Amino acid sequence: MMLLAWLVACPRAAPEVEPALVDSTRATARVEPAGTVAAGVWEDAEFPYVLRVPEGYELTPGLRGQNPRVTLVDPATRARVELSVYPGGPRGPRERRGCTWTFVDTARYRQLALAVDVTIGTCTPADPRHARVLGYFVEHAGSAYDLEAIIPPGKLVDGKAAAERAVGGVRFR
């Protein structure tokens, strides 16, 4: 009996509080898209260009501060065009894992209806079962713009035509 009275009279330790699963003391960063699309035209929120989106193409916006800024996919060929911007970066192909830039040339190419030199390139995959990459590279207002078309195997002719419809819609403001 004495033991029971002593146990009841002893102060109890407060139960341990489990830490919250979410740290509510930190501000949550807002994730914003890199731009918006209206009436079939993508407008970047940070860089001075617009991109006319060909009818039927799927558009996926990138996130502010990240690349690619926007991705377009042709539904028929599944050819994908990724537009990336590198402030202060040099124009030209960037290293890609699994393929080698086997052709690179700079001239006034009609695929990008711009009044500036465009560097184009073909990145040939080491494994022919993988996609081929066609690159279109241009400089504007101190930034390098990379438009890379990822063409699925077996779709080179139709995929290239689909990619050119997409990259041909770039205009600088």
Side-chain angles (χ1 to χ4, degrees), residues 6 31 47 50 65 77 84 100 104 106 116-117 129 131-132 147 160 163:
W6 181 76
V31 177
F47 298 100
V50 294
T77 63
S84 297
T100 303
V104 177
T106 301
V116 297
D117 284 347
R129 296 173 296 172
R132 182 174 304 262
L147 294 100
K160 182 177 187 287

Side-chain angles (χ1 to χ4, degrees), residues 6 14 20 33 40 49 59 66 97 104 108 118 127 142-143 157-158 172:
W6 181 76
Y49 75 93
L59 180 139
Q66 297 181 14
R97 188 174 36 163
V104 177
R108 297 273 170 108
V118 176
D127 184 336
S143 293
V157 173
D158 292 337
F172 292 113

Side-chain angles (χ1 to χ4, degrees), residues 71-155:
T71 301
L72 298 177
V73 177
D74 171 50
T77 63
R78 303 312 296 165
R80 183 175 80 242
V81 173
E82 298 175 346
L83 191 155
S84 297
V85 182
Y86 299 94
R91 173 185 66 213
R94 299 177 199 293
E95 185 175 333
R96 292 186 68 96
R97 188 174 36 163
C99 74
T100 303
W101 292 99
T102 55
F103 173 80
V104 177
D105 186 45
T106 301
R108 297 273 170 108
Y109 281 95
R110 68 178 179 267
Q111 287 87 346
L112 270 77
L114 304 172
V116 297
D117 284 347
V118 176
T119 299
I120 65 166
T122 301
C123 200
T124 305
D127 184 336
R129 296 173 296 172
H130 294 149
R132 182 174 304 262
V133 179
L134 306 177
Y136 308 84
F137 309 96
V138 65
E139 289 180 42
H140 177 74
S143 293
Y145 290 77
D146 292 11
L147 294 100
E148 293 186 337
I150 296 87
I151 311 296
K155 303 281 184 174

